[in-house]
């Protein structure tokens, strides 16, 4: 290549090289081969070799390269560390956000399936648990009891002391019920002052009766509020599975019907569902429907029983007696419909009708002299 007129240079490291000042050790030498051309022919006439000691220059370049590399590594390391902490912080915030979302989701899910006051399973969750318990009962070849618990005359507490006091009692009742059930059983709030309990893996009815007695004793214990002592008693209806081909709705309906029978038996007791109970509830349902329309149909009458002074035979006044002559059921005994008026709340409008009719009758009697 030199013979063709090309300049060639090469950097060579030497352990030692001779110089005018003697031998020099560890030197970087730049050797350049320079062709000199003939001015007439244009061919290479002379080849000149120039040797230069470039050790200091190479050292300077290496030093600057090393510093540059070090600074570059330092900058990249700083960027990496900064990016690492940014990513860690972002990951931490993301995990916290996920935890918050998960916790909020759990709270929403809990509120969807649990009662807001007592924390017990609500009606929706209870139905799912009841269906599951019924399937397991068939698989295990055992019995299952469903208890329907209604607090007697609880509305009187709400009306006289307020719903805040009623809520405190419901909360305490829920705690007492949980202490009465066995491990593996379920207690839920069905609404208002009504609770339901699932007793699983029952072998004999005596087990159910024992739990029912514990509930009666526990719930009937006095409640203390603001230096006052309050009393609440439960009525319990019980239906058993699988004594009949029942689904969840019919099983619950039978337990509720048995509760009504327990109330008729004097309250503060428990009652097992039977066929007679079903007939009684069906009759009550018909009676209640007819009773709700009796006032509109003008089926009520007032009978006036005189109050007489036995000494002189004078009439001192009269007692107004309510009677019901139903177009569907005929004459209904007062003992059969008066308690029903009180339970359904119809006693108030019917009571106003009684007072109005009695006052009109008094006006007529005065007009007659």
């Amino acid at each position: 290549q030199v013979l063709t007129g090309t300049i060639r240079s090469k950097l060579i490291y030497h352990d030692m090289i001779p110089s005018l000042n003697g031998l020099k050790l560890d030197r970087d030498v730049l050797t350049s081969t320079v062709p000199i051309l003939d001015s007439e022919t244009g061919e290479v006439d002379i080849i000149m070799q120039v040797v230069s000691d470039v050790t200091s220059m190479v050292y300077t370049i290496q030093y600057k390269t090393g510093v540059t590399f070090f600074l570059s590594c330092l900058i990249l390391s700083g960027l990496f560390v900064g990016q690492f902490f940014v990513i860690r912080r972002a990951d931490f915030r993301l995990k916290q956000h996920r935890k918050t979302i998960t916790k909020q989701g759990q709270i929403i899910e809990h509120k969807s399936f649990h009662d807001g006051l007592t924390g017990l399973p609500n009606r929706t969750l209870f139905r799912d648990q009841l269906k599951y318990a019924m399937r397991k009962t068939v698989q295990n070849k055992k019995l299952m009891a469903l208890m329907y618990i209604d607090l007697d005359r609880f509305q009187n507490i709400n009306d006289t002391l307020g719903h805040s006091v009623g809520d405190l009692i419901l909360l305490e009742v829920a705690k007492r019920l949980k202490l009465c059930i066995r491990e593996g059983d379920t207690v839920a709030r069905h609404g208002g002052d009504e609770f339901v309990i699932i007793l699983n893996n029952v072998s004999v009815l005596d087990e159910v009766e024992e739990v029912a007695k514990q509930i009666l004793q526990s719930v009937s214990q006095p409640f203390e509020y603001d230096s006052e002592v309050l009393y609440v008693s439960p009525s319990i209806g019980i239906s058993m599975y699988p004594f009949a081909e029942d689904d969840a709705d019919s099983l619950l309906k039978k337990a509720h019907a048995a509760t009504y029978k327990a109330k008729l038996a004097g309250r503060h007791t428990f009652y097992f569902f039977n066929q007679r109970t079903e007939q009684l509830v069906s009759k009550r349902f018909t009676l209640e429907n007819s009773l709700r329309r009796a006032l509109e149909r003008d089926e009520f009458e007032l009978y006036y029983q005189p109050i007489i002074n036995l000494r002189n035979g004078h009439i001192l006044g009269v007692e107004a007696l309510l009677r019901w002559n139903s177009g569907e059921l005929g004459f209904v005994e007062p003992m059969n419909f008066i308690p029903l008026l009180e339970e359904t709340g119809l006693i108030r409008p019917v009571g106003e009708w009684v007072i109005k009719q009695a006052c009109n009758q008094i006006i007529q009697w005065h007009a007659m002299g």
Side-chain angles (χ1 to χ4, degrees), residues 41-217:
T41 61
E43 295 180 354
V44 177
D45 189 18
I46 299 173
I47 296 177
M48 182 175 64
Q49 190 175 54
V50 180
V51 179
S52 302
D53 184 0
V54 293
T55 303
S56 60
M57 183 184 70
V58 171
Y59 174 77
T60 301
I61 293 174
Q62 289 177 342
Y63 174 77
K64 290 183 178 180
T65 302
V67 171
T68 302
F69 177 76
F70 174 76
L71 292 176
S72 299
C73 290
L74 185 63
I75 292 172
L76 289 174
S77 299
L79 291 174
F80 175 79
V81 172
Q83 187 179 26
F84 173 77
F85 282 106
V86 169
I87 293 175
R88 284 291 301 273
R89 180 173 176 81
D91 183 61
F92 174 77
R93 295 293 296 273
L94 183 59
K95 288 181 179 178
Q96 289 294 105
H97 184 62
R98 287 175 178 172
K99 288 181 180 179
T100 302
I101 293 177
T102 302
K103 187 175 181 179
Q104 290 177 347
Q106 291 173 346
I107 293 174
I108 293 174
E109 183 179 4
H110 186 272
K111 288 183 177 180
S112 300
F113 296 102
H114 292 81
D115 177 56
L117 175 64
T118 63
L120 296 175
N122 60 13
R123 185 178 301 185
T124 302
L125 180 57
F126 168 75
R127 286 178 62 84
D128 293 338
Q129 293 175 334
L130 179 59
K131 293 177 181 178
Y132 175 78
M134 293 172 71
R135 290 196 299 269
K136 295 296 291 183
T137 298
V138 175
Q139 294 174 5
N140 298 335
K141 297 181 180 180
K142 291 276 190 175
L143 295 176
M144 184 199 78
L146 176 61
M147 291 184 170
Y148 199 106
I149 303 169
D150 191 314
L151 302 181
D152 301 328
R153 299 185 178 92
F154 184 78
Q155 187 60 38
N156 293 340
I157 294 178
N158 285 333
D159 293 341
T160 56
L161 300 178
H163 287 273
S164 58
V165 178
D167 288 345
L168 292 176
I169 292 180
L170 290 175
L171 190 59
E172 181 62 26
V173 168
K175 294 178 181 178
R176 295 182 184 184
L177 290 177
K178 286 193 289 186
L179 295 176
C180 292
I181 63 176
R182 310 161 307 170
E183 184 178 357
D185 296 335
T186 300
V187 56
R189 186 183 180 192
H190 199 253
D193 60 339
E194 299 172 341
F195 297 85
V196 281
I197 291 178
I198 301 173
L199 299 182
N200 294 300
N201 296 322
V202 175
S203 299
V204 292
L205 294 183
D206 290 346
E207 299 177 21
V208 183
E209 292 184 1
E210 184 62 29
V211 175
K213 291 176 181 178
Q214 290 181 13
I215 293 174
L216 290 175
Q217 181 179 4

Side-chain angles (χ1 to χ4, degrees), residues 295 300 341 344-356:
L295 195 59
F300 290 118
L341 284 177
T344 58
L346 293 173
I347 193 67
R348 177 168 296 178
V350 173
E352 293 175 352
W353 178 87
V354 168
I355 293 174
K356 184 177 180 180

Side-chain angles (χ1 to χ4, degrees), residues 307-316:
I307 302 174
I308 301 175
N309 187 333
L310 296 182
R311 292 180 180 178
N312 53 29
H314 294 166
I315 296 178
L316 301 179

Side-chain angles (χ1 to χ4, degrees), residues 1-6 8 33 35 37 42-45 47:
Q1 291 179 345
V2 175
L3 293 178
T4 60
T6 303
R8 296 288 296 170
T33 303
L37 303 179
E43 295 180 354
V44 177
D45 189 18
I47 296 177

Side-chain angles (χ1 to χ4, degrees), residues 306-330:
I307 302 174
I308 301 175
N309 187 333
L310 296 182
R311 292 180 180 178
N312 53 29
H314 294 166
I315 296 178
L316 301 179
V318 294
E319 180 182 5
L321 304 176
L322 181 64
R323 297 293 182 262
W324 178 26
N325 189 8
S326 170
E328 299 172 347
L329 307 174

